[in-house]
Amino acid sequence: MATTPTTSRTISVEINGTTYEREVPASRLLVHFLRDDLDLTGTHVGCDTGSCGACTVQLDGAAVKSCCMLAVQADGASLRTVEGLAGEDGELSALQQAFHTHHGLQCGYCTPGMLMSATALLERNPHPSEDEVKLALQGNICRCTGYWNIVEAVVAAGEGGAQ
């Protein structure tokens, strides 16, 4: 008996504390689900091959590249995007404030991915060394070539704040 291939599936994911249930095409990438279906456009599409890290989000606390993952693979997971970093009142997180203070933003295209990778690092290692930050961010490319300010911002956030 032949079966018909599944072309879509209903998934349920928690994103930034809100549960979404949607039917998605089986081939839909997570980054496009976030951006196009849920209008969470803070997650950027850069290389579309997992090389640049602009699409980095957290999946059950781990940094993942959402352009390399199907939305159906996230079914039942808890996601955090860059929109979920600031407080409910819009107050920047200590890491976001450190990026601002240390001029780690530059053109801003890589910033969401950098913030999500750095957040994952700080959650498992609250006081990373400079070398640990560089290692954690090695999957994120900044075409402005301003890594120093970004590393400095993450180290400062780990030291207790933006200063």
Side-chain angles (χ1 to χ4, degrees), residues 20-40:
Y20 297 89
E21 189 171 303
R22 298 283 195 281
E23 183 167 333
V24 296
S27 61
R28 189 150 191 87
L29 291 173
L30 181 57
V31 67
H32 296 300
F33 174 66
L34 295 170
R35 290 183 55 83
D36 303 335
D37 296 353
L38 302 181
D39 204 28
L40 295 170

Side-chain angles (χ1 to χ4, degrees), residues 8-162:
S8 66
R9 183 172 152 190
T10 300
I11 65 170
S12 178
V13 293
E14 179 193 312
I15 304 172
N16 303 327
T18 300
T19 301
Y20 297 89
E21 189 171 303
R22 298 283 195 281
E23 183 167 333
V24 296
S27 61
R28 189 150 191 87
L29 291 173
L30 181 57
V31 67
H32 296 300
F33 174 66
L34 295 170
R35 290 183 55 83
D36 303 335
D37 296 353
L38 302 181
D39 204 28
L40 295 170
T41 57
T43 302
H44 290 169
V45 178
C47 65
D48 228 4
T49 62
S51 299
C52 77
C55 66
T56 304
V57 298
Q58 284 187 321
L59 177 89
D60 293 331
V64 298
K65 294 179 180 172
S66 61
C67 76
C68 294
M69 184 173 180
L70 297 172
V72 295
Q73 292 175 297
D75 186 26
S78 176
L79 294 165
R80 184 159 47 163
T81 67
V82 72
E83 288 92 345
L85 294 182
E88 289 184 23
D89 58 357
E91 184 177 338
L92 298 178
S93 69
L95 179 62
Q96 290 172 309
Q97 186 59 49
F99 265 63
H100 174 74
T101 302
H102 294 275
H103 307 287
L105 300 170
Q106 302 177 61
C107 84
Y109 201 81
C110 71
T111 303
M114 293 282 185
L115 286 169
M116 297 314 296
S117 291
T119 297
L121 168 65
L122 291 169
E123 288 175 352
R124 68 177 187 275
N125 178 1
H127 308 290
S129 69
E130 195 178 291
D131 288 340
E132 290 168 328
V133 172
K134 290 176 183 175
L135 184 64
L137 298 181
Q138 69 181 355
N140 295 80
I141 295 174
C142 173
R143 300 197 191 281
C144 298
T145 69
Y147 294 100
W148 178 247
N149 292 349
I150 294 169
V151 170
E152 193 174 89
V154 178
V155 170
E159 290 174 347

